[in-house]
Amino acid sequence: MKHRVSNTKLHSKIYRGGSESPISKTECIEIGKPNCPALAGQNVATRHAPYKDPMNVIITGVGGQGNVMASRVLAGMLVSAGYVVTIGETFGMSQRGGSVMSHLRISPASVLSPQIPRGSADILVALEPLEALRVLTVYGNPQITVLSNSRSVYPIGVITGELSYPSPDEMNTAFEKLSAVHWMIDATSAAVALGNPVLSNIVMIGALAKTGQLPIDRRAFAREINKNMSADKCTLNLKAFDAGMGMIENIVD
Amino acid sequence: MTTSIKMVISQKILKKEVLEAGLCTGCGACVGLCPYQVIYHDRTIQLHACDLENGKCYDFCPRTSTDQNELRNMLFDAGNVTPETGAMKGYYFSRATDRQLREDAQHGGTVTALMELALFEGLIDSAITSARDQEFGQIGVVVKDKAELRKNAGSKFTVSPTVATFNQLAATKEAGRIGVVATPCQALALAKMKLKAVKEDRGKIDQLKLVIGLYCGWAFAAEEFKELMGQNDIELESIVGMDIPAGKNSLEIYTGNGTKSFPLSDAQACIRSACDYCFDSTAEYADISVGAARFGENGEEMRHWNQMIVRTGKGSDLIELAIKRGVLEVREAPAESLRQLKNAAGEKKKAALQNIIRKSGSAKNLLYLDRHDPVVRRFLAKQLSNKENR
Amino acid sequence: MSKLLSPAGTQVLFMGNEAIARGALEAGLNVAAGYPGTPSSEIIESLAGVARERKLYVEWSTNEKVALEVAAAASFAGLRSMCVMKQNGVNVASDFLLHLTASGTRGGLILVTCEDPGALSSVNEGESRYFARMLEIPLLEPSSFQEAKDLTKWAFELSETIGNVVMLRSVTRMSHASGNVICGKLTTKFRRAKFDYDGPVMDSRTGPVITTPVVAKHALQQGKLKMAGELFEDCPFNSYSGPKHPELLIVTSSACFLYSQEAIRMHNLQKRVGILKLSCTWPLPQKLLKKYLCLTDKIMIVEEVLPFLEENVKVLAAGMLKELGIKTFYGKMDKTLPAVGELNPDLVAAAMAKIMKVRYKSLPAAYTQKLQKVAVLIPVRELTFCPGCPHRASYWNIHNALQLDGREGFVCGDIGCYAMAALFPATGYHTTPTLHSMGSGTGLASGFAKLDVFGMDKPVLAICGDSTFYHAVIPALINAQHNRADITFIVLDNSGTAMTGFQPHPGLTVSAMGESVPSVDIAGICKAIGANVAISDPFDLEGTCKILNSFVAGKGSLNILIMRQICALSPEKKGKKTFDVKVDQALCLGELCGCNRLCTRIFRCPALTWDRTKKKALIDEVICAGCGVCYSICPQKAITKTEVIN
């Protein structure tokens, strides 16, 4: 059930990396989610609400965007924090420019099915906006949080002119209608500015951390990447993480 | 002329009405305009699917419906037009004055002499003629000097996609003014281009300054011809020329090792099927049309002369210049020659109509010809009355 | 350090495949062999990564049959070995497997098969579980990541106890899914190979390793299976969870256990539905099943894809009819669960809702309506060749050559990335109408080409990748040559087994374990067969098309064209542009007659996009691989390429 604080509205926010300022400085999230206490007046980044059991997270994008790496890093952070994590993924053919999804089930104790049931995703992190919509049509629900990259990757059918890609307006409207909270950030530009477009997946993880929807933070991220990456790569990835964090404004009521 | 209001994909109807219907003459008009049509050996191939409507391929093809009346009005004076042989400002016998050229050429060397003159006098910057390619088929080539022109002199009996070369050349910035040696179907295609070119493309077709047409009865299909030569142990490389001499009912192939003769019936089996539906034996849409002077009094003497129809003012200017410069010897052609020419041309038109009606199944459907066109109507009536009289 | 070597007691996030590999290491694995196949490839890859530290021999064999033979040799010499493949690999290995299970094994030998229900990365959703029943060997199916590790370790002990192959079956949602696993101890003892064969024929430890006398050895084999069945009765991996008196008993295995568990939770039916999780699914532990089948008369069997478990449970139940009484079985055979495709929690929940007569919770109608409105806006995302993929250029050349030939020639497709030419016709420029198993394209072509006497006059082409060439094509090629089937055979040599993750194969000079090895030359083999062989770079459109034109037109010989150009995702190529490619929009004709978007409409590279506002082509420099092939196809020369100097 939705509760609204008086006079506040749900609207989307597009933040482009760099020196541009965000379009709007305020936004609010829906409150009164099941299993969560009321959040009026609380800064999202620091809320210590108990998380749902399980938290169902979907990371989606186009094959080759770094979906799998994002899910591994995220899962690694959560396992270190003591959670039982199940990831469901498919590789292989989907990598040839097709849609990819990673389902993450996060629970204090239970081992769960690697596939999230329909309509049961809590958080959707999308490296590509069309894929966010696609996932919403199967796993969306009125309480879902959506964090999406704004940069489109056109399907081959769109490129050849056989099919049409929804306009930014259509996509924004859809996100507004289909989610409780949503953010749209230009992670690709931030990644390109850092020298490699594929870093957009890490930018998204940084943004996700800032939203406070999961028990992850910068320290956990640094620890996780230190396990397997060289010092140079770690520095670059931390920059990407920070860029993502910088793209999410704190919630002010 | 009937115009269809329904929008259809040009490439598709071109395929249905011309390529699959066996009407394609291999003229090359639909090639070189875009990446979708190519000529391979002597076949027109659609490489990929194009979904445009109002495409140039369909518009320029000489075997799609044409308003021939409009074309005639655009190019010629109405008073000059004869039903059998198109516009005739003048009819002559001619030959090049250069003896060497006459020997290199098929008959009188008129075509080569005229093209050479046009180039030399700066009336054109490039000439497009037909030449032999590596696989001993014919392709259009761009020629800018005399030696090249002479090398390509002589009749070829297989199809050359010359218009494709024009399309490619006209698209380049350095093309300049162009003269083309064209068969009847090619001349018709070039005339259609003049008529149909939209404003953006005017530049390209306006570069066409001179069309010298060739009389043509038919052409050989490359595959069948190669097979016939192969069966008779004639190497394609060794062929230096071919002819159907006047009075002889045979095809003569001239090779480095001598001459080989074939009964005409053998040769006829190799004719490209599209030629059965051709309405034009004298290249009616050229400035000047040239053929062999077969219809003269003395068969042997006429062997090295051409007959020539001058159709346009541009054509007569060129002939006058040629006489003035002494490169061409021109004399009046006897009336008998003209009579025989018109007879033969008329017979071809009737035969074409007969074949077309047999193919379409009805005299009301003349495929690419317009049954309301005055010339068509005249020969249609003759053809139908012949049938009745039998 | 590889996480596969994590210390005992640590909790690690493992992929199912990695868990299996870890379990094998904990069991003291010595040899592993396999052939790349999604979803199995990571097992061999991760073992190869730790081969040196763990003193393993790990091999990518030319095909699954050879891989099983390699693993069997190790077993005959008393070592512990594992053979890994995807589901249809077992079909390839099956002739040897038939004989191997009859001759028996010595050192523990596990055949790991990773299946793909729903064909997420396959062109079939075949089953290998039936091989276990047909060939009378035990079958194990882990149902969690921890179990994937533990069960694998136990499988080796089982194999050695009974002296035969044990099949371990996983599925995509187990193999490629990940979860927490607590590591056990890695062995410190390493075995030495010892192959005895002089002993008596019937002595499985010291005699010759043969299947004869057949009937006697068959009886022995059945005895081994019986022994396994008895061990299964007390196996801790089979377990029941749920109420003492469930209304509905779910019998399940593999990932379906997780779906079933989730479905119960979704409906809150923990007090009414119990789950019997079987990790030992052949032979069925009879006593155990009897005990739980007695709990209720409503039984649902949840598995994928075919009703293997269901049939076996029913057969068992029929034999115990007097003791069990009448049961109602739900599953695939009565269409409670879909007969084809993969399962998921929703499908199991829907089935449960029907049986238990509960309402399946759904989303608010208003939300579903909004979803439906949005759904129509979403264009499908088709698979296609990557930017810079040599196959795009190869198929461009093949299509053009076939069009020029004009006799409606076609290509018999095969398995690899280039299979997409058959799966998505526009990607292959409508050249490839058939697609089956590895190497079958060449055999089909060999057959098609002999149909000219029956009136079929079309050029017949066959195609395969470099890895597929070694796997299965050679016998069909010899067949074509010897039986004078005039085919044009094309090898797409992109220097690796690309589809499954770029594993090496005999065409390369590096092995699975990263060692320097000799390569086996494809062109040499083709020449030895007696074919007319040419090699070209598919990026050289003109040169390649010329060769193809003459091959396609040619009669009277087997013509082989090897199109050699490295995969765009290979380590050598990835991220490195040969050219900087741009569109000069002033020259681009776009939709006008004369071009009509040849590059975006027909050539179809994902990096070649159509700028809808300017109505011109535009190169997406982020995705462009810089191969420069599109430069050659633009009729206006509007696409420019400048060499990138590194």
Side-chain angles (χ1 to χ4, degrees):
Chain A
M1 259 194 32
K2 269 182 166 182
H3 300 294
R4 282 176 194 270
V5 174
S6 59
N7 296 331
T8 51
K9 278 196 298 207
L10 300 175
H11 54 242
S12 70
K13 176 171 137 59
I14 298 178
Y15 186 95
R16 293 180 212 292
S19 53
E20 276 184 278
S21 58
I23 289 168
S24 154
K25 282 199 181 302
T26 60
E27 64 188 87
C28 83
I29 70 163
E30 184 206 25
I31 57 168
K33 277 193 223 191
N35 301 327
C36 291
L39 296 165
Q42 280 197 7
N43 182 318
V44 170
T46 60
R47 79 177 162 158
H48 294 294
Y51 299 94
K52 214 171 123 253
D53 177 15
M55 278 296 267
N56 293 329
V57 180
I58 298 183
I59 302 180
T60 185
V62 177
Q65 283 192 303
N67 224 61
V68 169
M69 204 220 160
S71 72
R72 289 307 149 76
V73 164
L74 185 58
M77 289 196 271
L78 291 161
V79 167
S80 299
Y83 287 89
V84 176
V85 178
T86 307
I87 311 177
E89 271 165 341
T90 52
F91 318 135
M93 292 229 274
S94 53
Q95 285 206 319
R96 299 297 175 265
S99 311
V100 288
M101 257 197 308
S102 300
H103 289 199
L104 281 88
R105 322 293 307 278
I106 303 150
S107 163
S110 330
V111 177
L112 296 146
S113 148
Q115 296 193 55
I116 295 172
R118 292 182 76 99
S120 305
D122 299 306
I123 301 172
L124 171 56
V125 178
L127 301 177
E128 204 276 344
L130 180 70
E131 297 313 308
L133 288 183
R134 204 189 305 278
V135 170
L136 277 173
T137 57
V138 182
Y139 299 100
N141 54 75
Q143 295 81 27
I144 194 172
T145 297
V146 176
L147 171 62
S148 176
N149 187 8
S150 58
R151 168 74 96 114
S152 297
V153 176
Y154 297 110
I156 195 75
V158 170
I159 290 169
T160 59
E162 295 157 82
L163 306 166
S164 48
Y165 194 94
S167 68
D169 271 336
E170 281 172 323
M171 291 201 285
N172 260 317
T173 312
F175 287 137
E176 265 183 39
K177 289 204 173 125
L178 299 177
S179 65
V181 196
H182 74 283
W183 287 270
M184 182 94 106
I185 63 172
D186 190 348
T188 304
S189 293
V192 169
L194 287 168
N196 192 346
V198 94
L199 285 167
S200 54
N201 61 350
I202 300 298
V203 172
M204 297 300 288
I205 299 290
L208 178 63
K210 189 73 191 302
T211 65
Q213 307 254 345
L214 286 176
I216 56 171
D217 59 20
R218 193 182 193 276
R219 210 158 24 123
F221 177 72
R223 233 185 301 125
E224 182 61 32
I225 57 174
N226 255 309
K227 288 183 194 163
N228 289 314
M229 276 189 207
S230 67
D232 288 338
K233 280 218 170 116
C234 282
T235 317
L236 187 59
N237 275 273
L238 275 166
K239 284 202 181 123
F241 187 91
D242 290 335
M245 284 192 83
M247 291 183 174
I248 302 291
E249 292 282 294
N250 286 342
I251 307 299
V252 177
D253 229 314
Chain B
M1 182 176 109
T2 51
T3 18
S4 178
I5 301 171
K6 175 181 158 203
M7 297 302 236
V8 279
I9 293 173
S10 301
Q11 194 198 48
K12 266 205 173 125
I13 43 169
L14 183 70
K15 184 174 183 184
K16 183 158 174 254
E17 289 178 14
V18 180
L19 299 177
E20 283 174 348
L23 293 181
C24 174
T25 64
C27 72
C30 62
V31 176
L33 299 168
C34 68
Y36 298 99
Q37 267 83 238
V38 295
I39 292 259
Y40 184 65
H41 297 157
D42 67 346
R43 286 178 285 118
T44 306
I45 311 275
Q46 290 185 330
L47 270 188
H48 307 283
C50 172
D51 60 0
L52 283 183
E53 297 156 349
N54 299 323
K56 289 180 231 166
C57 53
Y58 187 82
D59 284 347
F60 297 169
C61 174
R63 287 302 176 85
T64 59
S65 57
T66 313
D67 188 341
Q68 302 221 16
N69 225 21
E70 214 184 332
L71 279 180
R72 282 179 220 120
N73 291 339
M74 174 182 77
L75 293 170
F76 311 115
D77 298 327
N80 289 334
V81 176
T82 71
E84 302 87 351
T85 52
M88 292 186 97
K89 268 174 99 83
Y91 176 68
Y92 313 97
F93 280 179
S94 65
R95 67 175 183 179
T97 52
D98 182 338
R99 168 170 259 131
Q100 183 58 53
L101 175 53
R102 292 206 303 266
E103 280 180 23
D104 291 340
Q106 187 80 4
H107 299 288
T110 303
V111 175
T112 309
L114 287 173
M115 272 303 182
E116 263 180 27
L117 178 71
L119 267 177
F120 184 73
E121 294 283 330
L123 299 171
I124 57 176
D125 301 302
S126 351
I128 300 181
T129 66
S130 165
R132 208 181 256 188
D133 68 11
Q134 295 133 317
E135 279 131 54
F136 305 97
Q138 296 294 129
I139 47 165
V141 285
V142 180
V143 173
K144 298 203 178 196
D145 67 67
K146 191 157 119 178
E148 270 299 310
L149 263 182
R150 295 211 173 185
K151 216 170 76 176
N152 295 327
S155 301
K156 292 90 186 179
F157 283 55
T158 52
V159 145
S160 168
T162 304
V163 187
T165 309
F166 172 77
N167 288 335
Q168 283 157 359
L169 179 64
T172 63
K173 296 195 183 97
E174 320 80 33
R177 290 157 301 169
I178 306 171
V180 180
V181 177
T183 54
C185 51
Q186 290 165 350
L188 173 54
L190 291 167
K192 286 183 81 168
M193 282 185 200
K194 268 209 165 83
L195 186 66
K196 299 223 174 185
V198 284
K199 235 198 299 178
E200 302 98 68
D201 281 338
R202 272 253 76 93
K204 292 199 189 122
I205 195 59
D206 284 349
Q207 287 168 251
L208 180 64
K209 297 300 178 197
L210 175 67
V211 178
I212 299 184
L214 303 171
Y215 287 16
C216 178
W218 42 258
F220 284 133
E223 292 270 330
E224 282 85 327
F225 180 71
K226 280 181 190 165
E227 227 182 284
L228 181 65
M229 295 296 107
Q231 283 164 4
N232 290 277
D233 292 319
I234 299 177
E235 301 254 338
L236 294 172
E237 312 73 287
S238 69
I239 300 178
V240 295
M242 43 185 114
D243 193 13
I244 298 181
K248 292 194 193 173
N249 216 23
S250 60
L251 169 71
E252 289 188 350
I253 304 285
Y254 311 119
T255 71
N257 307 326
T259 303
K260 205 139 185 193
S261 208
F262 292 90
L264 212 51
S265 48
D266 275 3
Q268 275 163 351
C270 297
I271 291 176
R272 191 179 176 107
S273 58
C275 297
D276 291 343
Y277 311 99
C278 178
F279 203 60
D280 177 357
S281 50
T282 59
E284 293 170 28
Y285 294 96
D287 291 302
I288 302 169
S289 297
V290 180
R294 294 187 198 291
F295 306 96
E297 305 106 357
N298 187 331
E300 252 322 295
E301 198 203 314
M302 288 297 105
R303 203 159 208 265
H304 299 288
W305 282 81
N306 292 110
Q307 54 173 291
M308 184 174 63
I309 303 172
V310 179
R311 306 189 188 273
T312 62
K314 203 187 290 177
S316 40
D317 289 344
L318 183 62
I319 300 302
E320 271 173 39
L321 186 62
I323 297 170
K324 203 162 148 193
R325 294 279 184 267
V327 298
L328 200 65
E329 199 185 319
V330 178
R331 59 187 225 207
E332 284 295 318
E336 173 61 17
S337 175
L338 182 56
R339 195 193 64 78
Q340 286 184 20
L341 176 66
K342 284 192 177 180
N343 217 37
E347 286 309 305
K348 181 160 197 225
K349 287 192 199 285
K350 278 190 259 173
L353 283 170
Q354 198 171 56
N355 289 330
I356 286 174
I357 292 170
R358 191 186 307 131
K359 190 179 191 37
S360 72
S362 155
K364 294 222 167 88
N365 175 7
L366 297 185
L367 301 178
Y368 70 102
L369 292 175
D370 179 3
R371 64 191 176 99
H372 300 295
D373 179 84
V375 176
V376 174
R377 269 215 322 265
R378 182 194 177 110
F379 284 97
L380 193 61
K382 280 199 181 168
Q383 201 258 339
L384 289 175
S385 77
N386 276 353
K387 256 177 137 177
E388 281 162 22
N389 290 341
R390 263 191 221 117
Chain C
M1 186 202 65
S2 166
K3 63 177 170 177
L4 223 61
L5 302 177
S6 302
T10 47
Q11 180 158 238
V12 187
L13 189 73
F14 271 145
M15 225 195 313
N17 280 347
E18 291 167 334
I20 292 173
R22 172 69 190 212
L25 289 178
E26 288 177 13
L29 176 77
N30 305 108
V31 172
Y35 182 82
T38 309
S40 70
S41 315
E42 292 80 3
I43 299 174
I44 295 286
E45 275 172 352
S46 53
L47 288 173
V50 299
R52 212 149 279 140
E53 291 100 317
R54 299 303 305 166
K55 301 197 196 347
L56 309 172
Y57 175 66
V58 181
E59 180 184 285
W60 281 126
S61 310
T62 42
N63 63 38
E64 290 87 348
K65 165 184 166 301
V66 177
L68 185 58
E69 289 154 358
V70 168
S75 165
F76 297 164
L79 301 175
R80 284 195 165 177
S81 66
M82 192 158 83
C83 185
V84 181
M85 56 193 67
K86 69 182 289 171
Q87 75 273 14
N88 38 315
V90 183
N91 299 52
V92 174
S94 60
D95 189 8
F96 180 64
L97 185 59
L98 168 66
H99 295 80
L100 180 62
T101 57
S103 73
T105 55
R106 293 179 183 172
L109 171 48
I110 310 304
L111 173 55
V112 179
T113 161
C114 301
E115 301 189 342
D116 190 10
L120 302 163
S121 306
S122 309
V123 294
N124 71 82
E125 54 170 7
E127 285 256 11
S128 30
R129 292 185 295 167
Y130 286 88
F131 276 109
R133 193 173 82 187
M134 185 168 68
L135 300 181
E136 299 170 294
I137 50 171
L139 172 66
L140 303 175
E141 300 186 52
S143 55
S144 73
F145 310 101
Q146 184 67 47
E147 206 170 277
K149 179 190 84 63
D150 298 338
L151 198 56
T152 303
K153 177 158 184 261
W154 188 72
F156 280 97
E157 291 161 28
L158 176 64
S159 173
E160 276 176 8
T161 305
I162 64 171
N164 210 342
V165 182
V166 170
M167 182 183 273
L168 184 93
R169 180 249 195 182
S170 173
V171 293
T172 304
R173 300 297 181 180
M174 199 86 294
S175 281
H176 280 175
S178 304
N180 303 43
V181 177
I182 299 173
C183 294
K185 273 208 323 218
L186 291 170
T187 45
T188 44
K189 281 199 271 194
F190 297 95
R191 296 186 182 188
R192 304 215 21 98
K194 187 170 190 294
F195 182 37
D196 294 319
Y197 48 83
D198 284 330
V201 145
M202 295 303 284
D203 183 344
S204 56
R205 299 269 128 211
T206 61
V209 192
I210 51 177
T211 61
T212 54
V214 170
V215 177
K217 291 232 170 146
H218 190 192
L220 275 183
Q221 183 181 355
Q222 292 188 339
K224 294 175 182 181
L225 192 70
K226 188 152 176 282
M227 204 194 309
E230 279 152 19
L231 290 168
F232 285 171
E233 300 287 359
D234 302 309
C235 173
F237 298 106
N238 302 320
S239 63
Y240 174 79
S241 54
K244 256 203 198 153
H245 304 287
E247 286 168 49
L248 171 67
L249 173 71
I250 294 180
V251 180
T252 182
S253 69
S254 191
C256 293
F257 163 66
L258 295 173
Y259 305 153
S260 305
Q261 215 180 32
E262 183 104 27
I264 292 176
R265 183 197 299 239
M266 281 158 72
H267 284 306
N268 241 326
L269 286 171
Q270 292 91 332
K271 298 226 166 81
R272 298 168 62 194
V273 180
I275 303 185
L276 176 61
K277 172 178 87 70
L278 292 177
S279 293
C280 308
T281 45
W282 186 258
L284 286 176
Q286 294 202 25
K287 294 200 196 99
L288 184 76
L289 266 159
K290 182 162 152 205
K291 175 174 170 195
Y292 289 101
L293 287 175
C294 279
L295 293 185
T296 172
D297 52 7
K298 281 215 194 71
I299 303 170
M300 173 160 77
I301 303 179
V302 181
E303 64 181 324
E304 51 190 0
V305 173
L306 294 173
F308 174 77
L309 199 54
E310 192 176 331
E311 286 167 358
N312 297 331
V313 169
K314 284 179 173 175
V315 165
L316 202 67
M320 299 190 281
L321 209 52
K322 284 222 183 94
E323 296 110 305
L324 293 178
I326 308 286
K327 304 285 172 192
T328 309
F329 287 102
Y330 302 94
K332 299 229 165 187
M333 290 163 81
D334 72 336
K335 301 199 184 0
T336 305
L337 290 166
V340 294
E342 66 162 352
L343 290 181
N344 56 47
D346 294 289
L347 290 170
V348 181
M352 215 180 281
K354 253 197 286 180
I355 302 168
M356 300 301 287
K357 301 208 183 8
V358 293
R359 274 267 316 270
Y360 185 34
K361 255 188 300 187
S362 52
L363 294 168
Y367 188 82
T368 347
Q369 272 171 5
K370 286 187 217 165
L371 277 183
Q372 281 163 1
K373 284 216 185 89
V374 170
V376 296
L377 295 175
I378 303 174
V380 73
R381 193 177 288 276
E382 219 179 73
L383 301 187
T384 186
F385 296 129
C386 303
C389 175
H391 301 332
R392 177 174 288 109
S394 298
Y395 272 99
W396 183 262
N397 294 322
I398 292 169
H399 166 83
N400 287 353
L402 290 177
Q403 288 297 99
L404 292 178
D405 175 85
R407 288 178 289 160
E408 295 179 345
F410 60 94
V411 182
C412 295
D414 215 299
I415 301 295
C417 283
Y418 54 92
M420 280 195 272
L423 299 171
F424 306 101
T427 301
Y429 310 115
H430 305 274
T431 51
T432 310
T434 72
L435 179 66
H436 298 83
S437 58
M438 301 273 298
S440 61
T442 310
L444 280 173
S446 180
F448 275 122
K450 297 307 287 181
L451 301 184
D452 52 351
V453 297
F454 295 100
M456 195 167 98
D457 173 38
K458 292 177 188 224
V460 178
L461 281 66
I463 201 164
C464 81
D466 40 352
S467 193
T468 315
F469 182 86
Y470 299 105
H471 185 291
V473 163
I474 298 173
L477 214 50
I478 294 173
N479 191 69
Q481 170 72 355
H482 180 69
N483 288 304
R484 294 193 299 172
D486 275 351
I487 65 174
T488 299
F489 175 64
I490 295 165
V491 182
L492 300 177
D493 186 353
N494 60 354
S495 304
T497 316
M499 180 93 250
T500 41
F502 226 77
Q503 293 84 9
H505 60 56
L508 304 183
T509 50
V510 68
S511 74
M513 286 163 55
E515 294 166 337
S516 188
V517 289
S519 68
V520 177
D521 180 31
I522 293 179
I525 295 175
C526 292
K527 288 192 189 124
I529 291 178
N532 183 22
V533 183
I535 303 176
S536 80
D537 175 2
F539 285 172
D540 169 16
L541 301 183
E542 212 184 300
T544 302
C545 211
K546 218 174 178 175
I547 301 175
L548 267 177
N549 285 341
S550 74
F551 276 3
V552 167
K555 281 187 194 292
S557 72
L558 172 60
N559 293 319
I560 301 183
L561 176 59
I562 301 171
M563 296 209 213
R564 198 167 275 161
Q565 176 62 240
I566 198 165
C567 169
L569 297 182
S570 68
E572 291 96 314
K573 256 302 186 56
K574 195 169 184 181
K576 297 185 192 122
K577 295 190 183 187
T578 312
F579 298 102
D580 248 319
V581 187
K582 290 187 169 42
V583 175
D584 181 350
Q585 296 198 328
L587 293 175
C588 172
L589 273 185
E591 294 170 314
L592 299 178
C593 178
C595 178
N596 191 21
R597 302 205 290 117
L598 180 72
C599 62
T600 48
R601 241 178 16 95
I602 307 281
F603 187 64
R604 286 173 126 244
C605 172
L608 205 41
T609 66
W610 176 242
D611 184 342
R612 279 159 294 170
T613 44
K614 298 208 185 109
K615 297 228 179 252
K616 303 277 181 182
L618 176 68
I619 306 248
D620 182 339
E621 297 186 36
V622 173
I623 324 179
C624 174
C627 71
V629 173
C630 53
Y631 158 84
S632 309
I633 61 158
C634 176
Q636 299 297 112
K637 286 275 169 283
I639 300 179
T640 58
K641 63 176 187 184
T642 34
E643 241 182 283
V644 170
I645 304 149
N646 275 320

